[in-house]
Amino acid sequence: MTTYPQPLDVVFTAPIEKDGAFATFVTVPGSAEALGTRRPVKVGGTIDGHEFAATLMPSGAGPHWLPLRAALCTATGKSRAGEQVTVELRQRFS
């Protein structure tokens, strides 16, 4: 039986993307392998140094998507498709 929260050490830089399913999101490379699942996973960490908690959503094609809330986009000053953000996933809550 797994006990949560668990520490994570996943750091990557990726472009912001936009799609009809989520207004603004980042694809988490290698997430299915790193997390051991293709199901939704609650995580916490930072984006460009700003703390966040969110649920990684399975894309159906392999990696998870990290939805970016408007408040986080405002805090980072980034919300346009193609802008690069640095993400640190520090904890897994589910």
Side-chain angles (χ1 to χ4, degrees):
M1 179 174 192
T2 303
T3 304
Y4 294 101
Q6 291 182 328
L8 284 175
D9 185 20
V10 177
V11 180
F12 64 95
T13 300
I16 291 174
E17 300 178 58
K18 294 195 178 236
D19 186 293
F22 297 107
T24 308
F25 67 96
V26 174
T27 298
V28 182
S31 60
E33 296 78 19
L35 299 169
T37 185
R38 293 188 189 280
R39 303 186 86 175
V41 177
K42 293 180 183 178
V43 296
T46 64
I47 296 178
D48 284 354
H50 298 274
E51 298 276 336
F52 78 92
T55 301
L56 298 180
M57 302 304 293
S59 66
H64 289 76
W65 291 330
L66 170 61
L68 301 180
R69 295 190 173 141
L72 192 54
C73 290
T74 299
T76 63
K78 298 176 183 176
S79 63
R80 290 177 293 189
E83 290 183 297
Q84 296 282 321
V85 292
T86 298
V87 179
E88 291 184 55
L89 301 180
R90 295 181 176 169
Q91 282 193 302
R92 178 177 178 171
F93 301 110
S94 69

